[in-house]
Amino acid sequence: MNQNQYREVKMRRLHEKTGTILRSTLLGTVASVMTFGTALAEDLPYGLKSGKPYDGTKITYLAPVATQYEGHSERVAEFTDMTGIEVEFEFVPFKTLLEKILSVKVAGDSDPDVINYLDAWGPALKDMLVPLDDQMDADGISMDRYFAAHAAGATYDGEVYGMPLRGHAQLLFYRKDLLEKHGLDVPVTWDDLVNVAAVIKEKEGLGVANYYSPKNGQNIFTWVNLLWSNGGELIADGKVVFNSPAGVEALQYYADLENKFDVNTSGAKSRDPYESSLSVGAGNSAFFMGWWWHYGSRILGKNTTLQADQIGFTGMPAYGDKGVTFALSMPSGINVESDDKEAAWEFLKWVSNPDLEKRNVIEKADRNVIVALHKSNLTDEDVNEANRGLHMAGAKSLADSRIFPQLESWPEIQQLIANAISDVVSNGTDPQEALDTAAAAAQKLVDQK
């Protein structure tokens, strides 16, 4: 029974019961008809199907531990009220999420029904996910509501496999009070950052909380901004090219922050991004470059020594004429083995809707959620008022952002580059030599696919 037929039945029954003559056009755009306070089947928001066709269905959702998802789970009762679909959340630490997903893939399990994954994992996981283009077309959902980098992270070989749900923009965080104290402008370029950081380190003893540890390949997150802004590429037309002159120059500059310019806080060679953002929050560093989620949970987390008005944020520094930043996202897709794909799609429509996202980042009573992906929310006045303008800064960063190559072998290639970066910074290896070695190994991985 389709939606219009469902309305006709409901109206006919109501007419028989009350004797009321109903003259409303059944096939019009009226969302609902009320007679004597009785509600008929109504059009639901976000393209959800009315009439509860999946009433009693129970689906499971696998996601990493994060305050964003906690906010979803506490609000999911409203989805169940509208659809009759129950949702069980399974939260696992991010560091074990891929292992869990791969175990589901190998076993061919139908549970969980919905899976949240990192965009870089998508090429290796897409055969366990349902393509969503037809569903999106039917319900009028477009990837245009997201910035290009986040939309690209859910799209493989021209098909959409997930709805972008969690995602990050990179920002430069700085001690606003210290820059004002010494009459310094907010850095716009990398050279600006070096000059400003040198003054702050000399006057206050606080440097840049850079990180060069190759752990989990994360030190590439900063270097790749330098590479792209310098006109370099990671991989082009199946050829590894990150060892180009542009890549070598970018790596030399990144290493110089530690070994030549001496603007970093001590310990950068062994530090990771988590330790770096905590260094700012603890008052031990004046600058941090990284994902915006660090702002709420680490820089201004429960152990911070700072007040919110002491911290400023802006886009990543430009290297050359124009800055290009790295972005990542975590889409959510439907398990191809799920027995309840239609109900899972209903949940995806609800959990990815812009209204829920807006509420999640504005309502701060229980948790400080930062993450929003819809362009409309990133530029929304209420969202920015609740978050001190963080999302507008994120929107500017995401406007010129890119993602890592969509290759099954990318995680391994990323680690090769991360090891090269660490080798240059910590051991003094020549950047050309380090990147050439990494590129040769990376090319073999690319050629295997």
Side-chain angles (χ1 to χ4, degrees):
M1 180 183 296
N2 63 34
Q3 182 173 318
N4 291 326
Q5 291 171 325
Y6 179 82
R7 289 182 185 172
E8 291 184 63
V9 172
K10 291 289 286 188
M11 285 186 168
R12 186 166 59 250
R13 290 176 179 173
L14 183 61
H15 174 70
E16 292 171 354
K17 181 177 180 180
T18 64
T20 302
I21 300 176
L22 302 178
R23 297 184 176 88
S24 299
T25 302
L26 299 182
L27 302 179
T29 58
V30 179
S32 61
V33 176
M34 305 291 291
T35 304
F36 299 128
T38 302
L40 304 182
E42 57 182 326
D43 285 340
L44 298 176
Y46 322 124
L48 297 174
K49 293 183 178 179
S50 61
K52 296 186 176 181
Y54 310 112
D55 191 14
T57 303
K58 184 174 183 178
I59 63 171
T60 54
Y61 178 40
L62 175 65
V65 177
T67 56
Q68 177 188 10
Y69 301 112
E70 293 172 4
H72 296 160
S73 67
E74 291 195 0
R75 295 180 173 93
V76 75
E78 64 190 48
F79 169 74
T80 301
D81 288 343
M82 288 188 289
T83 66
I85 302 169
E86 296 182 23
V87 183
E88 179 182 345
F89 286 76
E90 181 182 357
F91 295 128
V92 299
F94 177 78
K95 63 182 180 181
T96 63
L97 179 60
L98 180 57
E99 180 182 352
K100 173 66 176 179
I101 294 173
L102 291 176
S103 69
V104 172
K105 179 180 179 180
V106 171
D109 289 341
S110 60
D111 179 29
D113 300 279
V114 181
I115 298 168
N116 189 234
Y117 61 94
L118 185 65
D119 54 4
W121 304 339
L125 300 178
K126 67 178 183 179
D127 59 341
M128 72 176 297
L129 300 171
V130 176
L132 300 177
D133 296 83
D134 290 344
Q135 294 90 323
M136 292 172 62
D137 288 344
D139 288 310
I141 297 174
S142 171
M143 280 290 169
D144 290 342
R145 65 187 190 180
Y146 306 106
F147 280 97
H150 288 158
T155 307
Y156 312 105
D157 299 328
E159 290 189 285
V160 176
Y161 285 86
M163 299 302 297
L165 198 62
R166 183 170 178 79
H168 302 307
Q170 283 191 325
L171 298 174
L172 167 64
F173 297 92
Y174 59 90
R175 283 288 298 273
K176 181 180 178 182
D177 57 333
L178 297 183
L179 266 63
E180 292 175 349
K181 176 182 176 180
H182 297 287
L184 299 169
D185 293 331
V186 177
V188 175
T189 68
W190 283 90
D191 287 343
D192 291 342
L193 176 61
V194 169
N195 294 331
V196 170
V199 174
I200 296 299
K201 190 171 184 181
E202 179 185 358
K203 301 292 185 180
E204 303 289 342
L206 305 178
V208 180
N210 251 321
Y211 52 93
Y212 297 101
S213 169
K215 180 181 178 182
N216 298 322
Q218 294 185 89
N219 61 14
I220 188 178
F221 293 170
T222 305
W223 169 76
V224 76
N225 294 277
L226 290 158
L227 172 75
W228 286 333
S229 297
N230 199 32
E233 296 287 344
L234 291 163
I235 299 172
D237 299 323
K239 300 298 182 182
V240 173
V241 294
F242 57 71
N243 57 332
S244 67
V248 172
E249 183 180 54
L251 179 49
Q252 182 65 67
Y253 194 98
Y254 189 39
D256 284 346
L257 296 175
E258 172 72 8
N259 297 325
K260 179 180 177 180
F261 304 134
D262 191 28
V263 294
N264 292 333
T265 304
S266 62
K269 293 178 181 179
S270 60
R271 199 162 46 228
D272 64 26
Y274 305 96
E275 296 163 333
S276 293
S277 56
L278 285 174
S279 179
V280 175
N284 297 324
S285 295
F287 306 89
F288 169 70
M289 291 170 285
W291 304 121
W292 61 358
W293 67 263
H294 287 267
Y295 176 68
S297 62
R298 282 176 164 74
I299 296 175
L300 292 178
K302 61 182 180 180
N303 296 319
T304 187
T305 64
L306 306 176
Q307 299 298 315
D309 58 5
Q310 292 179 270
I311 295 295
F313 39 78
T314 187
M316 289 287 285
Y319 188 65
D321 296 333
K322 182 180 180 181
V324 180
T325 61
F326 170 50
L328 64 74
S329 61
M330 295 192 68
S332 289
I334 299 173
N335 184 353
V336 73
E337 301 293 343
S338 169
D339 296 324
D340 299 295
K341 296 181 182 65
E342 294 82 3
W345 173 239
E346 293 299 293
F347 172 69
L348 268 188
K349 286 187 287 187
W350 175 80
V351 79
S352 66
N353 82 75
D355 295 336
L356 175 65
E357 180 182 78
K358 181 175 178 178
R359 289 164 52 199
N360 219 13
V361 298
I362 286 180
E363 298 168 1
K364 302 287 189 180
D366 297 322
R367 62 188 55 81
N368 185 17
V369 177
I370 295 298
V371 177
L373 273 70
H374 291 82
K375 288 188 285 188
S376 60
N377 284 334
L378 292 173
T379 57
D380 183 87
E381 182 177 344
D382 295 333
V383 169
N384 280 280
E385 182 178 354
N387 294 278
R388 306 178 68 85
L390 181 76
H391 292 80
M392 186 64 74
K396 292 178 180 178
S397 175
L398 290 168
D400 292 302
S401 60
R402 298 176 60 179
I403 63 172
F404 284 151
Q406 294 176 312
L407 300 170
E408 289 189 33
S409 57
W410 175 252
E412 298 163 273
I413 296 172
Q414 178 179 329
Q415 190 61 56
L416 289 170
I417 300 172
N419 292 340
I421 293 172
S422 179
D423 200 26
V424 170
V425 175
S426 299
N427 302 324
T429 302
D430 178 71
Q432 185 73 68
E433 177 185 346
L435 290 179
D436 283 347
T437 300
Q443 189 66 59
K444 292 179 180 179
L445 292 171
V446 172
D447 293 341
Q448 288 175 2
K449 302 301 180 182

